[in-house]
Amino acid sequence: MTQPLIAERLHDFAGPTIFSEMTALAQQAGAANLGQGFPDSDGPPELLAAAADAIGRGLNQYPPATGLPELREAIAARRTADQRLTYDPRTEVVVTAGATEAIAAALIGLCDPGDEVIVFDPLYDSYSACLAMAQVRRVPVLLEFDGTRFTFDPEAFRRAVTPRTRLVLLNTPHNPTGKVFDESELALIAEVCMAHDLVAVTDEVYEHLVYDGLRHRSLATLPGMRERTLTISSAGKTFSCTGWKVGWACGPARLVTTVRTVKQYLTFGTGTPFQAAVAHGLTRCMPWVDELRAELARRRDLLVAELRAVGITTYPCDATYFVQMDARSFGHDDGETLCRALIRDAGVAAIPSVALYDDKAAGRHLVRLAFCKEPGLLTTAARRLAAYASDASAAPREGQERTSND
């Protein structure tokens, strides 16, 4: 294959993402795809109808660079209703081509080459690519499973700050661990940001998909943090319309202006009829989102119960589309090797979590499963995994020791 002509800082990102690779392999094998995190059913019919209506009404040309006014107003109203935060839709809200563009624009606009950004490890793969494009250094703080939950060492977080630190990039609810950062963790992050005059960029795309009575709290709600936090979210996960790529950023005008400055030279504007539909959704379709949240919790429980019943270890999941599974339950120490074997031999596609880790040793044994799928598919996948685990237990592969699920 011809080698791409690409800048040195992007060499590590030249190939397809792990999500694209595993999805392609799943399609070739006809595997049950619990890999890439997209739902296999559409969002609320009312939302879809609103998009069709917007097209019919002629909303098919460029939107304003900051987004349709009605969408910015709906976003601001939603932040007030959900987090008791007030934003001026004219100057403190900008609409982007999904959350990914908002993150990229923030990093490119706020950082100079050589700056450092603190991230939590594991991290969604686009973060690393965006940081490379901005020519800044990522400084990972590991999220470790303490026997109950994924959390981080407060002193490791404090030590991550140097004179070159520019900002903290926080993803909560967190992909791939399913973690919701709690009050004490948010308070520590806020304390460090204020002590060192750091900006916080928060990716909150799963803000409405939190289970078991837990509550997502935005970092911007903590005392002193609204004026130094850029909060990013999107419609894709909230309304099961990941292909629409309608995202946004809220924050003080000085930060939102930075995002707007960069994004006007990236996409300028995108998806005008979808923006109109999302404005309708944020205003009228939130009861549907409540039902989605309850249904996703049921699907998570279905998948986890099927796996645990046969001794497959999974980790707690409080939010998002994803649950982590332990490859060692199958007699594998390497999640990536297991994922390739599962597609070939079990007919199930998953994502090796190690692809999202800076600390490869810490994530080597973890596999991410998406439960945002129809119950029938989840049951089929779980039973295939159970059968494969049973075979692996009966006849471990050469050179691999059987390990405990304890």
Side-chain angles (χ1 to χ4, degrees):
M1 187 177 75
T2 302
Q3 291 297 314
L5 181 62
I6 191 166
E8 183 178 352
R9 68 182 180 278
L10 298 178
H11 277 183
D12 291 344
F13 309 99
T17 69
I18 190 67
F19 307 105
S20 298
E21 182 182 358
M22 289 298 170
T23 294
L25 290 173
Q27 291 170 344
Q28 293 169 15
N33 191 357
L34 304 191
Q36 196 165 7
F38 58 84
D40 53 11
S41 56
D42 284 332
E46 186 178 345
L47 181 81
L48 308 182
D53 177 70
I55 293 171
R57 289 189 288 116
L59 291 179
N60 301 302
Q61 309 308 323
Y62 294 125
T66 52
L68 291 180
E70 59 263 41
L71 177 53
R72 285 182 278 121
E73 290 167 5
I75 292 165
R78 190 81 262 144
R79 296 304 290 170
T80 300
D82 295 337
Q83 299 290 336
R84 299 182 181 178
L85 290 166
T86 301
Y87 293 103
D88 185 338
R90 298 169 301 172
T91 59
E92 296 185 317
V93 180
V94 59
V95 178
T96 57
T100 302
E101 186 190 37
I103 293 165
L107 294 174
I108 292 169
L110 291 170
C111 299
D112 288 315
D115 281 350
E116 295 178 355
V117 171
I118 298 174
V119 297
F120 289 93
D121 188 18
L123 61 157
Y124 186 60
D125 68 337
S126 72
Y127 295 179
S128 296
C130 291
L131 289 163
M133 286 187 274
Q135 301 184 66
V136 301
R137 176 174 174 264
R138 65 183 182 271
V139 179
V141 174
L142 183 63
L143 294 173
E144 297 183 271
F145 188 68
D146 67 0
T148 303
R149 58 196 289 269
F150 285 92
T151 188
F152 63 96
D153 178 356
E155 292 310 310
F157 181 72
R158 294 182 193 278
R159 289 194 302 269
V161 180
T162 77
R164 292 308 307 250
T165 305
R166 176 62 172 152
L167 60 84
V168 176
L169 177 55
L170 170 66
N171 173 210
T172 183
H174 185 263
N175 172 16
T177 66
K179 168 188 175 60
V180 178
F181 281 69
D182 67 20
E183 296 285 335
S184 64
E185 292 167 330
L186 293 175
L188 173 63
I189 295 168
E191 173 197 325
V192 170
C193 285
M194 289 186 288
H196 297 276
D197 193 25
L198 305 180
V199 171
V201 176
T202 63
D203 175 356
E204 303 180 16
V205 297
Y206 292 100
E207 61 181 317
H208 297 293
L209 304 182
V210 178
Y211 314 121
D212 305 324
L214 295 178
R215 176 176 174 266
H216 162 67
R217 184 176 182 185
S218 177
L219 183 65
T221 64
L222 273 68
M225 288 306 294
R226 183 198 180 281
E227 291 308 310
R228 64 175 65 248
T229 302
L230 186 72
T231 303
I232 294 168
S233 193
S234 78
K237 304 303 191 298
T238 300
F239 295 115
S240 297
C241 56
T242 60
W244 287 14
K245 298 298 291 181
V246 176
W248 52 83
C250 301
R254 68 189 182 103
L255 298 181
V256 168
T257 297
T258 298
V259 173
R260 185 178 69 237
T261 298
V262 176
K263 74 130 0 231
Q264 69 185 348
Y265 297 110
L266 294 176
T267 61
F268 180 80
T270 186
T272 306
F274 295 142
Q275 289 192 29
V278 172
H280 180 92
L282 290 172
T283 305
R284 303 286 183 84
C285 297
M286 296 311 291
W288 181 92
V289 177
D290 294 337
E291 295 176 3
L292 172 66
R293 179 169 54 251
E295 177 59 26
L296 285 172
R298 286 190 289 269
R299 295 183 187 188
R300 174 204 60 180
D301 293 345
L302 168 65
L303 178 61
V304 167
E306 291 266 3
L307 297 178
R308 289 184 176 174
V310 295
I312 297 172
T313 298
T314 63
Y315 293 81
C317 161
D318 295 326
T320 76
Y321 283 167
F322 310 111
V323 64
Q324 297 262 62
M325 178 177 72
D326 198 319
R328 294 171 296 192
S329 299
F330 299 83
H332 281 261
D333 290 327
D334 186 338
E336 184 168 0
T337 300
L338 174 63
C339 284
R340 296 183 188 282
L342 288 177
I343 292 175
R344 181 184 65 245
D345 300 330
V348 178
I351 297 295
S353 299
V354 70
L356 306 178
Y357 272 84
D358 243 65
D359 185 337
K360 299 302 182 185
R364 187 168 183 259
H365 64 286
L366 295 173
V367 170
R368 194 193 78 172
L369 301 174
F371 55 81
C372 53
K373 310 295 181 179
E374 291 297 329
L377 180 65
L378 295 174
T379 299
T380 295
R383 291 176 181 173
R384 290 178 181 178
L385 291 171
Y388 185 82
S390 176
D391 291 344
S393 178
R397 285 164 172 72
E398 183 178 354
Q400 292 178 331
E401 297 181 4
R402 192 177 302 170
T403 58
S404 170
N405 282 338
D406 293 340

